[in-house]
Amino acid sequence: MTDHLATVDASIPYGKRPLQVVVLSGPSGSGKSTIVNRLVVESPVKLIKMISATTRPIRTNETDGEDYYFLTNEEFQRKSEDGGFVECEEVHSSGFWYGTLRSELHRASDEGGWAFLEIDVKGALSVMEQYPDAITIFLKTPSEDVFENRLRTRGTESEEVIQRRLRTAREELNFADRYRYQVCNDDLDRAVEEIIEVLVSREAESNA
Ligand code: ADP
Ligand code: 5GP
């Protein structure tokens, strides 16, 4: 589907500068959503959480337009063909598509914040090409057992889905060194703090 995408406009303005993009990836259960939700509240650098589009079914605890824009396959395909995505991928070999909406990046720009993307490794590699200055962070856990346990404790996936996500996680770990920063989420507060330090130092550099 990526072939249908128009070339991204990497110069979406942010004040007088191009939009700063932040990407967080990591295995399922590594704590990405938990950390994103903390960061948007606690980071002194204004972060705008990008709401992706997806074709996967909505979960009971989710709200359309807040967690994702839930689209039919046809709607997603049409948006892709119209160049509406910065990147889009079939994630976790699930048959479901996920994509970063170009309109969301414009929203971050309009709101004067940094665009914060929580996306899979394939999507992140595509964003790295389009936004070479993106701050890219790979979230790890101390061991595979830890993310497996967290995935099970969260209780949102069936055994089959858990097994598929574990397979993807092992593949994704091979790409960790393509990210500028790797953060271990053993202790949640420390991981959040470490990411905030990265963001603050990057903001100071960009203001220098
Ligand atoms: P992801 O978005 O990467 O799939 P989640 O943010 O949903 O992961 O986290 C998976 C589970 O692990 C959740 O139940 C969450 O509360 C828990 N969790 C996240 N970070 C930690 C941590 N540092 N220590 C213990 N549990 C954590
Ligand atoms: P979930 O189905 O648990 O909400 O998300 C599954 C995975 O999809 C997560 O690992 C998340 O990183 C990834 N994801 C969410 N939105 C996007 C997106 O817009 N693009 C890509 N490439 N991956 C996404």
Side-chain angles (χ1 to χ4, degrees):
M1 220 181 260
T2 309
D3 291 342
H4 298 299
L5 300 182
T7 313
V8 71
D9 175 9
S11 59
I12 294 173
Y14 171 68
K16 292 195 178 77
R17 299 190 213 114
L19 176 70
Q20 178 68 63
V21 172
V22 185
V23 177
L24 181 72
S25 305
S28 251
S30 58
K32 297 180 300 294
S33 309
T34 310
I35 286 188
V36 172
N37 291 334
R38 288 266 311 254
L39 286 172
V40 290
V41 176
E42 294 174 34
S43 166
V45 179
K46 185 174 176 184
L47 300 174
I48 314 286
K49 179 178 158 183
M50 299 289 88
I51 303 169
S52 295
T54 184
T55 61
R56 94 148 154 69
I58 189 165
R59 295 176 186 147
T60 45
N61 59 341
E62 290 180 324
T63 308
D64 191 12
E66 279 183 25
D67 297 287
Y68 286 101
Y69 292 103
F70 293 92
L71 304 184
T72 61
N73 284 324
E74 293 69 30
E75 287 167 335
F76 197 97
Q77 178 76 32
R78 206 173 315 122
K79 202 165 262 305
S80 173
E81 287 168 2
D82 291 347
F85 292 117
V86 175
E87 59 74 36
C88 63
E89 300 289 343
E90 186 205 343
V91 174
H92 297 311
S93 313
S94 58
F96 300 126
W97 285 80
Y98 296 76
T100 304
L101 291 160
R102 203 175 296 284
S103 55
E104 282 291 291
L105 292 198
H106 283 284
R107 181 170 67 87
S109 173
D110 291 346
E111 293 182 15
W114 291 6
F116 198 106
L117 283 62
E118 192 238 289
I119 58 176
D120 84 326
V121 165
K122 288 181 289 178
L125 294 174
S126 168
V127 170
M128 285 174 203
E129 277 178 20
Q130 301 176 63
Y131 289 87
D133 290 332
I135 299 170
T136 56
I137 304 163
F138 192 91
L139 196 65
K140 287 180 155 175
T141 54
S143 71
E144 187 176 312
D145 289 350
V146 174
F147 63 72
E148 179 167 359
N149 287 340
R150 285 188 196 157
L151 206 51
R152 290 186 190 286
T153 311
R154 192 173 66 185
T156 48
E157 278 86 22
S158 65
E159 183 59 30
E160 186 199 341
V161 172
I162 288 176
Q163 290 305 331
R164 205 160 47 213
R165 289 188 173 212
L166 286 173
R167 271 199 301 280
T168 314
R170 284 179 210 117
E171 287 162 20
E172 291 201 332
L173 280 166
N174 293 328
F175 290 90
D177 60 3
R178 301 282 290 274
Y179 288 69
R180 281 179 196 231
Y181 305 94
Q182 292 184 27
V183 172
C184 183
N185 180 21
D186 41 3
D187 177 88
L188 182 60
D189 288 338
R190 202 199 41 74
V192 169
E193 193 51 42
E194 208 176 313
I195 295 175
I196 287 178
E197 276 170 24
V198 166
L199 300 175
V200 168
S201 75
R202 283 294 294 267
E203 188 184 47
E205 275 170 31
S206 65
N207 287 336

